[in-house]
Amino acid sequence: MARDKAKDDKHFNCTQVHEADYVAGLYPHAKEEVKTFLALACKNNALNNSTHKEVYDLIKRKLGHSQP
């Protein structure tokens, strides 16, 4: 179990594959594009300690897809 579930629920965790799958699934029209973007952003530490809202904002800014 998580040490701080509230924080885990709020923040995007790059080490959890299901997190990227979940977020990409919110963009069914661009699922693979978003999934690839998230993988690259995680690799570059662009999502380090980001909230889910910040992740959605970054997707909107960089890819032009509206927030779910």
Side-chain angles (χ1 to χ4, degrees):
M1 176 157 285
R3 288 180 287 181
D4 188 348
K5 184 166 177 2
K7 182 179 177 188
D8 285 351
D9 288 346
K10 184 178 178 181
H11 287 83
F12 184 81
N13 187 340
C14 286
T15 64
Q16 300 292 322
V17 175
H18 71 272
E19 291 242 10
D21 289 340
Y22 170 77
V23 172
L26 297 174
Y27 300 88
H29 60 285
K31 186 175 182 175
E32 289 305 314
E33 179 186 17
V34 171
K35 200 169 183 178
T36 301
F37 173 75
L38 291 173
L40 184 60
C42 284
K43 184 177 177 182
N44 295 334
N45 289 325
L47 300 179
N48 189 26
N49 215 17
S50 296
T51 64
H52 283 266
K53 182 181 180 332
E54 290 169 336
V55 171
Y56 303 144
D57 290 344
L58 186 64
I59 291 169
K60 171 79 173 162
R61 228 176 25 255
K62 298 291 185 175
L63 302 179
H65 301 302
S66 296
Q67 294 178 12

